[in-house]
Every structure is written in C-alpha cells, then in structure tokens.
Amino acid sequence: MHWRAAERRLGLLALIVAAACAAETAPPTGEAGCTVSSVGDGDSFRCAPDGARVRLLLIDAPELDQPPFGARARDALAEIMPPGTWVRFESDVRPTDDFGRTLAYVYLEDGRMVNEELARSGMVVPLVYPPNVRYVDRIRAAVEAARSAGRGLWATNAFDCLPVDFRAGRCGR
C-alpha cells in the first residue's frame, strides 16, 4: 500500500521537474498577439474579439483611483496602442497571473516594446515578480533615464506613493 503513495509522489515530482525544465528552456513564442479592444489602465488592456485581458510585464502604472496620475498613465498607453492596434506578445516563464490575465512583453508592428516605451516616457515604475525577469535590466534602465530627465509622471509627485504601496493602503487614497 505504501509503495503506491511513493510511486504517486515520484510521478508528481517527475512532472514538476519536467515542467520546470520546459519553462526554463522554452523560447518565447512571439507568435501570439491580438487587436487591442480597450485600454483598462496604464499597464493593462483587453483584446478583440474575445475580451482577453493582458497585463504588461515588469511595469506598474498609477491606479485609476490615484487622480490625476492613473488617468494620465492610461491615456499614455492608449496613445501608444489605441483600440484597433494589432500587437504581438512575448511571454516569459509564467504566462498568466492569478487573475487569469496574459502576462506579456507587448510589441507594436514597428518592433517597439510597449512596456519599455511606457518606462522611457516616465509613466510607470518597475514591478518585478520573478520568475518573469527577462527584460528587467532594460526596463529599469528606461525608468531610470525617465526619472533622471524628469519625464512624464517623474515631473510630478506621482511616484511619492508607488502604485504597489497605494494598492496596499500604505499611503493616502
């Protein structure tokens, strides 16, 4: 009787190891994409026609209930990729989040990475959730350049309360 439990545990362990190895070695597909149907906030949007939700990796924009900064970040994303724009996705190790959203580096048809464009324009801060870290240095460098130059929301006090701290209730609402 005990050998069956051990056999199941070994089988489960083998599946976990195989999945981890596949995740570490699988190249990004780069083939997935969609047409933007709507921009939800400064770091997420929906796809047409199914309404699938996409969250941009490695960045964090002010929340919509952080006026006026949340609306400005949303508008910046909508300016870069307005509804009707076709975008391509590149996934990282973890392709979805706990909310069922696709996690992606998003590219415009001209090859620009939307995540990096928002960082370079000063509309977001870095937000890192390992294991999705493929372009962390690139995003951090773009945010630092925007911060140093006082671009976008860095020209204001928008990031006195980081979005992650705002969501956690660590600063005023």
Side-chain angles (χ1 to χ4, degrees), residues 27-57:
T29 63
E31 301 301 318
C34 77
T35 299
V36 176
S37 66
S38 64
V39 171
D41 57 24
D43 51 35
S44 66
F45 64 97
R46 287 188 180 268
C47 292
D50 62 359
R53 297 176 304 155
V54 179
R55 172 70 168 80
L56 299 169
L57 281 168

Side-chain angles (χ1 to χ4, degrees), residues 11-153:
L12 181 59
L13 180 61
L15 284 173
I16 291 169
V17 169
C21 289
E24 290 176 3
T25 60
T29 63
E31 301 301 318
C34 77
T35 299
V36 176
S37 66
S38 64
V39 171
D41 57 24
D43 51 35
S44 66
F45 64 97
R46 287 188 180 268
C47 292
D50 62 359
R53 297 176 304 155
V54 179
R55 172 70 168 80
L56 299 169
L57 281 168
L58 294 178
I59 62 170
D60 199 17
E63 298 300 317
L64 289 175
D65 54 351
Q66 280 183 277
F69 311 121
R72 289 179 60 192
R74 179 199 57 217
D75 294 347
L77 180 56
E79 185 175 318
I80 292 170
M81 45 180 252
T85 303
W86 188 87
V87 294
R88 178 177 60 87
F89 304 154
E90 179 182 352
S91 61
D92 206 330
V93 175
R94 186 174 177 218
T96 58
D97 67 10
D98 294 339
F99 304 104
R101 298 177 295 188
T102 297
L103 299 174
Y105 304 104
V106 176
Y107 295 87
L108 300 171
E109 286 189 280
D110 65 8
R112 289 180 296 148
M113 181 197 294
V114 173
N115 316 50
E116 185 176 30
E117 290 296 309
L118 288 167
R120 186 178 293 118
S121 69
M123 302 311 284
V124 298
V125 293
L127 182 65
V128 181
Y129 285 110
N132 291 340
V133 297
R134 181 175 297 131
Y135 298 115
V136 68
D137 292 336
R138 186 171 163 180
I139 297 297
R140 284 181 174 156
V143 167
E144 182 53 32
R147 190 193 65 74
S148 295
R151 279 194 298 270
L153 297 178

